[in-house]
């Protein structure tokens, strides 16, 4: 039977360095497991494009490789969850630091069930070469901006990934392999908690 909208939304956080394959693997999970994919970075870029009141601040912080205040990011995520008829979500690229974790607790907290964090583990040299070979028109996909982003990742996001490990909510997958090899492990990890193709709005 399809799950009803009234059930608490189930969430998987997807983390990993820039270029580790988060978006690519999420797209495959959307197909097979009927997740709704919410990329924090895409939602923030949407605010820049719309020219919303936070757009200028978001653009500045992104270009510095810094993390946007959680009230902005988490509201975008939570509004998208509420607007969706789905009740299983992949939240890609969030939470990136302690401020993000605390803000999620404050803004969403018990209103969602965070199953675990899926961590795509990839050496930074591989990440840089992938980013240099993708051409998505992003202003932060340059070697200089990558350096700022990866520094922020090691300083602020790695401790959050480790935190999920200490509470037994971390599924780590080496992602320095082909998309299909990585996905085979991703599918096993997700399949331990979710049935294939289950959600029907
Ligand atoms: N960002 C942020 N908070 C988030 C997600 C993204 O502040 O929760 C900002 C941050 O400046 C980051 C940029 O958006 O460097 C791009 O994020 P995205 O996840 O799109 O890039 P990725 O790291 O996946 O390449
Ligand atoms: Mg991404």
């Amino acid at each position: 039977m399809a799950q009803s909208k009234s059930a608490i939304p189930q969430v998987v956080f997807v983390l990993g360095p820039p270029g580790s394959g988060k978006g690519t693997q999420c797209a495959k999970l959307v197909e097979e497991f009927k997740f709704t994919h919410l990329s924090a970075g895409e939602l923030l870029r949407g605010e820049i494009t719309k020219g919303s009141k936070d757009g200028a601040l978001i653009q500045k912080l992104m270009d510095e490789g810094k993390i946007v205040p959680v009230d902005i990011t988490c509201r975008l995520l939570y509004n998208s969850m509420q607007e969706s008829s789905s009740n299983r979500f992949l939240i890609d690229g969030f939470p990136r630091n302690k401020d993000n974790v605390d803000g999620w607790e404050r803004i969403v907290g018990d209103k969602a069930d965070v199953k675990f964090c899926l961590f795509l583990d990839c050496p930074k040299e591989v990440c840089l070469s992938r980013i240099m070979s993708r051409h998505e028109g992003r202003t932060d996909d340059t070697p200089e901006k990558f350096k700022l982003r990866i520094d922020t990742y090691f300083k602020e996001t790695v401790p959050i990934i480790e935190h999920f490990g200490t509470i037994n909510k971390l599924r780590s997958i080496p992602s320095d392999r082909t998309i299909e090899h990585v996905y085979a492990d991703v599918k096993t990890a997700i399949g331990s908690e979710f049935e294939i193709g289950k959600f029907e709005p």
Side-chain angles (χ1 to χ4, degrees), residues 28-157:
K28 295 182 76 66
L29 287 169
V30 165
E31 280 296 309
E32 198 164 19
F33 287 86
K34 311 295 174 219
F35 276 97
T36 294
H37 174 208
L38 298 179
S39 160
E42 292 298 327
L43 288 169
L44 291 168
R45 281 187 281 280
E47 293 302 288
I48 299 174
T49 312
K50 274 194 279 181
S52 78
K53 69 170 174 45
D54 298 319
L57 172 67
I58 295 170
Q59 177 79 72
K60 175 178 176 288
L61 293 172
M62 273 190 180
D63 281 339
E64 294 169 349
K66 292 184 182 156
I67 298 168
V68 173
V70 68
D71 284 320
I72 298 175
T73 315
C74 202
R75 291 279 167 215
L76 289 169
L77 289 169
Y78 191 49
N79 288 347
S80 300
M81 288 171 67
Q82 287 184 308
E83 282 162 15
S84 169
S85 61
S86 175
N87 77 339
R88 51 170 65 162
F89 296 92
L90 296 168
I91 297 195
D92 162 0
F94 178 97
R96 274 174 135 85
N97 62 5
K98 176 89 170 55
D99 176 56
N100 281 184
V101 171
D102 294 346
W104 175 272
E105 244 350 281
R106 196 174 64 243
I107 296 166
V108 183
D110 291 345
K111 297 191 280 294
D113 180 11
V114 177
K115 291 296 181 188
F116 52 78
C117 169
L118 185 72
F119 168 42
L120 298 178
D121 192 5
C122 192
K124 66 174 194 270
E125 297 73 22
V126 175
C127 291
L128 175 60
S129 93
R130 287 179 181 173
I131 283 181
M132 288 303 97
S133 60
R134 77 183 180 193
H135 302 282
E136 293 173 358
R138 279 176 55 170
T139 57
D140 59 352
D141 276 353
T142 64
E144 299 72 31
K145 303 277 166 69
F146 177 81
K147 167 91 175 69
L148 302 174
R149 288 157 68 196
I150 199 88
D151 285 352
T152 300
Y153 167 78
F154 281 116
K155 204 164 132 227
E156 301 196 44
T157 311

Side-chain angles (χ1 to χ4, degrees), residues 9-26:
Q10 299 187 312
V11 170
V12 173
F13 290 138
V14 184
L15 293 178
S20 56
K22 301 183 293 286
T24 303
Q25 295 296 326
C26 284

